[in-house]
Amino acid sequence: MPWKQRLYGIFAFDYNYYFMDSISIKILKELQKNARLSFAEMGRNVGLSAPAVAERVQKMEEQGIIEGYGVRINLEKAGFPIQAQITIKTATHDFKRFISKLDNFPEVFDCVKVTGEHCAFLKVAVKNNQHLEDLIDRLTEYGHPNTSIILSSYTQNPAIE
């Protein structure tokens, strides 16, 4: 994306950049609590009109600050009562191959590449212990998995504070 810049003395201003002020942060907090709120209700909560809220949300979407909208799923109630974190250590070529085959692992709901001893952290949800064992067996084709069962989670989706 080309930047439209105008120089005033030594300062450069990017007119494609959306400035996050306290009202925009309040809007993000409202969306994080309930993305289905109407712009009118959000406006009442943050002290703006519905059109002003809609304009700010649209600008944040255009800038990529808001990447999309989703739903939080209770994995246990959805039939996946066991969640685990699996670290995997692979050879470089195996990691690239693993990432290209990630769609073959529907149990994986989060995968991040990391530095250090391991290559990636996976968060998985499975139906039972046998399902977890089968998943681990399938992962060994790509490297050495190390599994920890998640007993409790004290955080949810990342939130703007």
Side-chain angles (χ1 to χ4, degrees), residues 18 20-35 42 46 56-57 60-61 65-67 69 159-161:
Y18 182 78
M20 292 288 294
D21 62 4
S22 62
I23 299 291
S24 294
I25 299 223
K26 286 179 185 177
I27 291 170
L28 287 178
K29 286 181 182 181
E30 291 292 322
L31 286 170
Q32 288 174 144
K33 283 190 262 180
N34 183 358
M42 224 181 302
V46 302
R56 284 177 179 248
V57 169
M60 287 188 279
E61 289 171 344
I65 295 166
I66 298 173
E67 293 182 331
Y69 300 88
I160 296 288
E161 292 298 329

Side-chain angles (χ1 to χ4, degrees), residues 19-147:
F19 177 72
M20 292 288 294
D21 62 4
S22 62
I23 299 291
S24 294
I25 299 223
K26 286 179 185 177
I27 291 170
L28 287 178
K29 286 181 182 181
E30 291 292 322
L31 286 170
Q32 288 174 144
K33 283 190 262 180
N34 183 358
R36 296 180 69 177
L37 278 180
S38 69
F39 291 140
E41 189 171 346
M42 224 181 302
R44 283 191 293 277
N45 294 344
V46 302
L48 290 178
S49 68
V53 170
E55 181 180 340
R56 284 177 179 248
V57 169
Q58 181 181 3
K59 285 181 181 177
M60 287 188 279
E61 289 171 344
E62 289 169 357
Q63 290 295 312
I65 295 166
I66 298 173
E67 293 182 331
Y69 300 88
V71 62
R72 284 191 300 268
I73 297 170
N74 182 315
L75 292 169
E76 187 171 342
K77 289 181 180 178
F80 299 94
I82 298 172
Q83 288 91 51
Q85 178 172 303
I86 300 175
T87 56
I88 189 160
K89 184 177 183 178
T90 68
T92 303
H93 66 280
D94 284 335
F95 182 74
K96 290 176 183 175
R97 189 168 61 94
F98 169 66
I99 294 301
S100 73
K101 302 291 185 188
L102 204 51
D103 287 343
N104 294 340
F105 298 94
E107 302 89 349
V108 176
F109 64 89
D110 192 18
C111 175
V112 294
K113 185 176 183 179
V114 296
T115 62
E117 182 180 344
H118 301 283
C119 297
F121 289 161
L122 312 174
K123 276 194 167 182
V124 304
V126 293
K127 296 176 184 175
N128 53 43
N129 288 340
Q130 184 60 53
H131 188 183
L132 179 59
E133 187 176 346
D134 293 342
L135 172 62
I136 293 166
D137 289 345
R138 291 181 7 243
L139 288 170
T140 58
E141 178 183 341
Y142 302 94
H144 303 285
N146 185 348
T147 305

